[in-house]
Amino acid sequence: MSNLRLPTPDVFPAFPYTPYDIQRDLMRHVYACIEDRKVAITESPTGTGKTLSLLCASLTWLRDEQVRARKGKLSVREDDADAPDWVVAQTMERRKRELEAEDLEYAERLAAARKREAQLRRVMRGHVRKRQKVAAEAEGPSQDLGDAEDETFLPESEENSETGCNLSPAVLALMKKLQGNLSASPEEEKEPTCTKIFYASRTHSQLAQVLHELEKLHIKLNISVAALEKSSTTTPNPKKRTASHLEEDGSSMNDEQACGPRAVSLGSRKQLCINEYVREKAGDLDEACRQMLGEKGKKRCPHLPAAEEEMKMLDLRDQILAVPKDIEELYLTGQAADTCPYFGARRAIPQAQLVLLPYNLLLQRTAREALGIDLENQIVIIDEAHSELIRLVATDICDNATYNRSHLDSPLTFNDPSTLSLSTVHALHLKRLMNLLDALCQYTEEWRDARVKVEAGKSRPPDVEVMTSAKLLQRLGRKTEGINLLEVEKYLRESKIARKISGYSVKTLEKAAGQDTVKLAKLARLASTTPPLHAVESFIDAISASSEDGRVTISLIDGQVEMKYQHLNPATYFHEVVEAARAVILAGGTMSPILFNLSNIVPGGMVVFVPSYSFLHAVMKLWGSSGLLDKLNAKKKVFSEPQSSNEVEGVLRDYATEIQATDEPGQKKRRGALLFAVVGAKLSEGLNFADDLARAVIIIGLPFANLGSPELRERMDYVVRMEQRRLAANPSTTAGGRNAKDAGTELYENMCMNAVNQSIGRAIRHREDWAALILVDGRYASARIRRKLPKWTESGTTVTETFGQAMKELGRFYTVKKAKTSA
């Protein structure tokens, strides 16, 4: 029974309204994709209830899956088939009683949590909560490590990881000794996990809107055995029935015990930390929090219950699951309960049925591991997916790691691991790590010397070099030949050696500082900053990826060597998610490229400026092979700027002819033409696209010049030198914080924006002319860049966060212009 396929329903009673055909089709498609373990890419125009449809379809499947799983537990198993009938009957009755008891116990627990939350909310509404700091918080997280044992700073073994209780080795040893006499608490024995939906979007405000839509659904997911038995005899047609019908069947749970999906919103420590001292004083809040996890007494965070107060954390977990909360409500709930909402949310993940989280926490493996997220056989929905795909390509958010030689200038070195009480395994791993770091240090020094100490008569090598990670490892020499980077990365992650070395360094230097307040203040700042070895850890993690997926850039900056790894293939991170999850749904208002959708609403001609010819050629090749170019040609005939000057006039003539051509009888009407051009090239200067020749000008990205160009560097250096002389002659002008380097940056930005403004100016050629100017890059929203745009664009500029909002604004703009033209 448990292996039977769930039929795709024709109706979805959980949907709060009578669905449109487009909504019903979307829900059926999503339901079937989840059941069939597929990856789906769905489009739903803005305003058609996309989020509500996604929630209804996925939660309906989850409810039906619960029914299937429960019936599987109550069905006769293969090992029971040969038993006498009375034995089978007794076994089934026992299973039924156990499941009923579990149902009732869990429902009562959540009902009690909802009551506690209601009481807390009444208290918070009736009284202005004063933020009181307990004594430990007033003192702040003490950095006095003088009494700590050296064993505290040893690398952690698997049983003493952050995912556990963060206990010291001595406490763990004592716990192991007592394990034979003490059993785990009922809560620890019953930490059930369940099939869940991970729902990701771009911002927490968008996720809050998801919770708002969730409230509209008529669905409850706490399936009781009594409801199962009754529903199995009242529904003749499984095709027409969905799990939501169970709500009408009744159950052994009353209204107080019944509840909707158990949901949890995930955020960062910065969003959820309620420790006021840490928020105000810590330089690196994440690191300060981690440092306090293993502390005892007054040094421990007062909002994180100790092992003996575990019930406080479990109560908060139940409170989180009892009523869906957005990040702000989760923060306030943690404040009211005086218990950390960040760790409370983490504890709620195993029992949650709906997990809401931003893109970065879902797509980055390290973030998933830190939160304890396991995507195996779970459902993943990525909403506003078009924004994410564009952002991945445009800004490359994937793990970029930078390693600087100064990261190894640590106040303490482990040149002799034998001086600590290290096991053979730890000593071996540390020896390999030191060999790798020594090789990196030696190579960077040699690379720098080759550029700084140039012999007479020889040319100086370039200050920037790009290579694959395999090439870099090859250059490190024989010391690294036997080192497996994956093993090193795993060891760094599991042992938390970066934090241990940093803590041991602080302790050693603190002893040496004595009562020197200046040195102690510096140590306090050092203790709250990210351990230097973390940067090395990130770099090693990055270069352990496939050699073809990224590049290592080595550069000389102000005499220092910097290595930066840039990941070039975002598909790697999606691949990890797709491989693990049961089903992945990528949903968006539009999954087609921006230029394709804009062609639907822009009348006449549309000119699109891209940063370079190479960019233009790559786009044309990709769209040609995918068939998108043919689709664009069906809407607007596509032209592109030629690199040869003698071909420009012909392209422009054909472009204008296509726009001005009258309709021929019997042929489908075209809607103008589309011209791709390059910023700063032939079509961006001296040519006019008046009236219908350009009713929209689109600028893709910011066309910054190549900083590696010797000519550009010389111009920037010259401007910096001139500014240095001016500031030296007029010292009072430095009061505003301006320095000579600002002049070079200003020149660099001005060159870029001059090219942009030249392109913008091609469209508006006389008093009655009009066109939409569309700037596609988040950096245009910054005040610094917007100040460099033409002054006449200021009053009519609108910044939108989503493509759907932009389409609405443009639709309104063209409607008004069309009405004026008709009048």
Side-chain angles (χ1 to χ4, degrees):
M1 185 72 178
S2 60
N3 294 324
L4 293 180
R5 184 185 185 280
L6 294 174
T8 304
D10 292 325
V11 293
F12 291 83
F15 202 76
Y17 318 111
T18 302
Y20 301 121
D21 288 344
I22 190 175
Q23 293 170 329
R24 185 174 60 255
D25 291 345
L26 176 59
M27 288 189 286
R28 284 177 51 81
H29 180 68
V30 170
Y31 187 103
C33 288
I34 294 174
E35 176 62 15
D36 295 337
R37 300 174 178 271
K38 292 182 177 179
V39 176
I41 299 177
T42 66
E43 288 184 339
S44 183
T46 302
T48 56
K50 168 175 55 69
T51 300
L52 190 61
S53 301
L54 291 171
L55 285 172
C56 184
S58 56
L59 289 171
T60 297
W61 180 89
L62 191 61
R63 179 69 182 263
D64 288 352
E65 165 63 14
Q66 284 187 336
V67 174
R68 176 167 59 183
R70 282 298 176 90
K71 286 183 177 179
K73 289 182 180 179
L74 293 174
S75 63
V76 179
R77 300 172 185 171
E78 291 182 5
D79 53 356
D80 295 331
D82 297 332
D85 291 345
W86 66 271
V87 173
V88 173
Q90 283 193 353
T91 301
M92 297 302 295
E93 183 61 28
R94 176 173 53 81
R95 290 179 192 162
K96 176 184 170 184
R97 287 197 303 269
E98 289 173 352
L99 287 175
E100 285 178 336
E102 288 178 8
D103 292 340
L104 195 58
E105 188 273 336
Y106 197 68
E108 287 175 345
R109 231 175 66 200
L110 293 186
R114 285 195 293 276
K115 284 184 178 179
R116 287 196 303 273
E117 176 160 355
Q119 292 171 349
L120 282 172
R121 287 179 181 269
R122 283 195 293 270
V123 170
M124 292 180 71
R125 281 196 298 267
H127 303 281
V128 178
R129 189 178 187 278
K130 296 182 179 179
R131 295 179 177 178
Q132 298 177 344
K133 297 181 180 178
V134 295
E137 198 172 0
E139 295 173 5
S142 173
Q143 303 301 328
D144 181 13
L145 305 174
D147 297 331
E149 296 292 334
D150 284 353
E151 284 78 3
T152 305
F153 304 104
L154 291 177
E156 294 187 12
S157 55
E158 289 184 1
E159 62 269 17
N160 188 22
S161 64
E162 187 175 328
T163 56
C165 299
N166 297 285
L167 301 176
S168 67
V171 175
L172 282 173
L174 180 62
M175 289 176 65
K176 286 182 179 179
K177 186 177 180 180
L178 297 176
Q179 269 181 343
N181 301 322
L182 296 176
S183 61
S185 66
E187 287 77 12
E188 289 174 337
E189 291 177 354
K190 296 182 181 180
E191 186 69 23
T193 60
C194 61
T195 303
K196 57 183 89 275
I197 299 162
F198 289 93
Y199 198 109
S201 193
R202 188 167 61 89
T203 64
H204 281 293
S205 60
Q206 289 172 334
L207 292 172
Q209 182 62 29
V210 173
L211 287 179
H212 179 70
E213 296 295 299
L214 179 66
E215 294 174 355
K216 300 177 183 177
L217 290 178
H218 306 312
I219 191 168
K220 292 179 173 59
L221 272 76
N222 48 346
I223 308 294
S224 69
V225 175
L228 265 179
E229 290 182 332
K230 190 169 182 179
S231 66
S232 64
T233 61
T234 58
T235 308
N237 187 354
K239 180 75 173 177
K240 295 291 183 181
R241 176 193 175 277
T242 69
S244 302
H245 282 91
L246 288 175
E247 297 161 30
E248 303 168 4
D249 297 333
S251 71
S252 59
M253 302 174 190
N254 57 39
D255 290 339
E256 273 193 348
Q257 294 164 348
C259 66
R262 300 189 297 272
V264 60
S265 298
L266 301 183
S268 65
R269 285 177 170 90
K270 292 179 181 178
Q271 292 165 316
L272 293 174
C273 178
I274 60 173
N275 188 319
E276 293 300 323
Y277 179 87
V278 173
R279 292 182 71 91
E280 293 171 6
K281 302 296 183 183
D284 186 330
L285 190 147
D286 285 341
E287 192 56 36
C289 174
R290 294 188 185 101
Q291 290 284 357
M292 298 176 73
L293 286 177
E295 301 289 359
K296 294 175 286 187
K298 292 183 178 181
K299 298 177 184 177
R300 185 178 176 86
C301 178
H303 307 293
L304 186 63
E308 61 271 17
E309 298 178 308
E310 180 70 359
M311 285 307 299
K312 287 184 66 177
M313 185 60 75
L314 296 179
D315 285 344
L316 178 61
R317 176 201 64 187
D318 291 344
Q319 223 172 303
I320 291 170
L321 294 173
V323 180
K325 301 170 179 64
D326 60 26
I327 288 296
E328 184 178 350
E329 292 169 331
L330 184 57
Y331 178 88
L332 294 174
T333 300
Q335 266 194 334
D338 196 28
T339 306
C340 177
Y342 172 78
F343 284 99
R346 284 176 54 164
R347 290 298 296 269
I349 293 174
Q351 299 180 26
Q353 295 160 322
L354 177 64
V355 180
L356 305 175
L357 69 171
Y359 293 141
N360 61 315
L361 296 185
L362 174 73
L363 296 179
Q364 294 179 2
R365 174 172 50 85
T366 52
R368 293 197 304 271
E369 290 175 350
L371 290 168
I373 292 175
D374 183 6
L375 297 180
E376 190 68 33
N377 207 32
Q378 308 293 9
I379 301 114
V380 172
I381 298 177
I382 302 180
D383 202 355
E384 301 295 339
H386 55 282
S387 300
E388 175 58 15
L389 292 174
I390 292 170
R391 189 160 66 98
L392 277 172
V393 174
T395 61
D396 191 26
I397 66 163
C398 298
D399 295 344
N400 288 317
T402 301
Y403 157 75
N404 193 292
R405 173 66 180 83
S406 62
H407 286 138
L408 294 183
D409 293 336
S410 177
L412 179 72
T413 57
F414 275 5
N415 289 328
D416 186 7
S418 62
T419 58
L420 296 176
S421 304
L422 292 171
S423 67
T424 305
V425 173
H426 283 303
L428 179 62
H429 280 303
L430 284 175
K431 185 67 176 176
R432 289 172 178 169
L433 176 61
M434 288 190 296
N435 286 342
L436 178 61
L437 298 183
D438 286 343
L440 274 171
C441 287
Q442 182 177 345
Y443 176 69
T444 55
E445 288 172 0
E446 291 172 355
W447 192 90
R448 180 185 59 193
D449 291 345
R451 283 145 184 83
V452 176
K453 302 174 182 178
V454 182
E455 296 181 14
K458 291 187 177 181
S459 60
R460 173 172 172 161
D463 287 352
V464 178
E465 187 175 3
V466 180
M467 66 185 73
T468 64
S469 53
K471 187 69 174 177
L472 172 64
L473 293 175
Q474 182 182 344
R475 291 188 179 183
L476 294 185
R478 283 188 295 177
K479 264 192 172 183
T480 62
E481 285 179 357
I483 296 177
N484 185 326
L485 280 182
L486 292 175
E487 289 183 0
V488 174
E489 184 275 327
K490 182 182 178 183
Y491 174 73
L492 288 169
R493 174 165 38 88
E494 293 181 350
S495 67
K496 299 179 176 58
I497 191 66
R499 194 172 304 124
K500 298 295 182 179
I501 291 177
S502 179
Y504 193 74
S505 301
V506 171
K507 173 195 171 185
T508 303
L509 292 177
E510 188 177 43
K511 288 180 177 179
Q515 301 300 315
D516 190 321
T517 55
V518 176
K519 290 184 178 179
L520 289 174
K522 289 181 179 179
L523 282 173
R525 287 195 298 272
L526 175 63
S528 64
T529 56
T530 303
L533 196 55
H534 269 324
V536 179
E537 181 180 341
S538 298
F539 184 75
I540 292 174
D541 182 29
I543 64 174
S544 63
S546 172
S547 183
E548 293 304 313
D549 286 342
R551 293 292 182 270
V552 177
T553 301
I554 309 178
S555 53
L556 189 63
I557 302 175
D558 296 331
Q560 288 288 323
V561 178
E562 181 181 84
M563 285 187 185
K564 184 175 183 179
Y565 177 87
Q566 185 179 28
H567 199 85
L568 303 176
N569 183 14
T572 304
Y573 297 87
F574 282 110
H575 181 75
E576 292 177 357
V577 173
V578 170
E579 283 294 299
R582 176 192 178 98
V584 178
I585 312 295
L586 295 169
T590 172
M591 297 301 292
S592 303
I594 291 175
L595 306 168
F596 181 77
N597 287 276
L598 290 176
S599 64
N600 286 320
I601 63 171
V602 176
M606 184 164 73
V607 183
V608 180
F609 286 99
V610 297
S612 65
Y613 280 110
S614 60
F615 184 101
L616 175 58
H617 295 158
V619 168
M620 291 293 106
K621 182 179 179 181
L622 177 63
W623 289 354
S625 61
S626 68
L628 181 60
L629 206 53
D630 293 333
K631 293 180 180 179
L632 277 172
N633 267 306
K635 296 175 180 292
K636 292 180 183 293
K637 189 168 182 179
V638 178
F639 299 87
S640 62
E641 177 177 346
Q643 283 190 263
S644 176
S645 300
N646 57 10
E647 296 177 12
V648 172
E649 187 176 344
V651 170
L652 286 175
R653 183 174 57 250
D654 294 343
Y655 172 73
T657 300
E658 183 66 31
I659 293 171
Q660 296 162 359
T662 56
D663 298 335
E664 296 183 17
Q667 288 191 355
K668 186 177 180 181
K669 181 181 179 181
R670 284 185 189 262
R671 301 183 60 186
L674 172 59
L675 175 62
F676 286 92
V678 177
V679 175
K682 307 168 189 67
L683 298 183
S684 65
E685 297 181 11
L687 295 175
N688 299 333
F689 294 96
D691 301 322
D692 280 348
L693 291 180
R695 290 307 186 191
V697 171
I698 305 169
I699 311 290
I700 305 294
L702 283 163
F704 282 108
N706 180 13
L707 270 177
S709 165
E711 293 84 0
L712 175 59
R713 283 189 173 275
E714 188 58 36
R715 285 186 64 185
M716 292 177 67
D717 290 343
Y718 174 77
V719 171
V720 170
R721 289 196 300 271
M722 293 300 101
E723 183 68 3
Q724 286 173 338
R725 291 178 186 177
R726 190 185 69 82
L727 293 176
N730 301 280
S732 60
T733 60
T734 63
R738 181 179 173 88
N739 58 59
K741 286 188 177 181
D742 291 336
T745 303
E746 191 77 9
L747 171 66
Y748 188 54
E749 289 182 353
N750 286 344
M751 290 173 62
C752 169
M753 293 310 296
N754 284 341
V756 169
N757 293 340
Q758 284 283 350
S759 301
I760 288 174
R762 298 307 94 209
I764 311 298
R765 307 308 301 171
H766 58 84
R767 183 182 181 90
E768 301 300 324
D769 202 359
W770 58 268
L773 307 176
I774 304 160
L775 309 177
V776 186
D777 195 300
R779 290 171 291 182
Y780 284 113
S782 69
R784 185 184 181 94
I785 296 298
R786 285 182 64 182
R787 282 197 300 267
K788 299 180 187 295
L789 290 170
K791 295 299 180 184
W792 54 267
T793 65
E794 287 183 352
S795 60
T797 301
T798 301
V799 178
T800 60
E801 289 192 3
T802 66
F803 181 64
Q805 293 173 344
M807 289 293 286
K808 283 183 179 179
E809 292 293 332
L810 287 169
R812 188 180 300 117
F813 172 79
Y814 286 116
T815 299
V816 171
K817 292 300 181 183
K818 184 178 180 180
K820 288 184 178 180
T821 303
S822 301

